Amino acid sequence: MEYWDAYDKDLNKIDGITLVRGEPIPENVYHLVCETVVKHVDGTYLLMQRDFNKHLGGL
């Protein structure tokens, strides 16, 4: 099971609320995500594609 901290629209952590991956997220409650770009020393990039069997697969 994966747990996420809950935040308001101003990125303030909401104490007392823990989000669980796969469960509905209440309105006006958010969790943080990030994207990473990996550039190797030779100038090439690491690219990944989301599993086709998952939501938004292939992206």
Side-chain angles (χ1 to χ4, degrees):
M1 191 172 302
E2 185 176 346
Y3 297 101
W4 299 325
D5 292 328
Y7 293 86
D8 65 19
K9 66 180 179 65
D10 297 316
L11 298 180
N12 298 305
K13 186 175 174 187
I14 303 171
D15 291 328
I17 298 178
T18 300
L19 303 173
V20 178
R21 182 182 189 129
E23 293 184 3
I25 297 174
E27 193 170 326
N28 299 317
V29 174
Y30 307 90
H31 69 96
L32 299 179
V33 298
C34 70
E35 293 184 31
T36 303
V37 176
V38 177
K39 182 178 180 183
H40 296 278
V41 294
D42 66 1
T44 61
Y45 291 88
L46 172 67
L47 300 177
M48 298 180 71
Q49 186 175 42
R50 187 168 175 83
D51 187 307
F52 281 99
N53 295 318
K54 293 187 176 185
H55 177 67
L56 301 176
L59 296 180

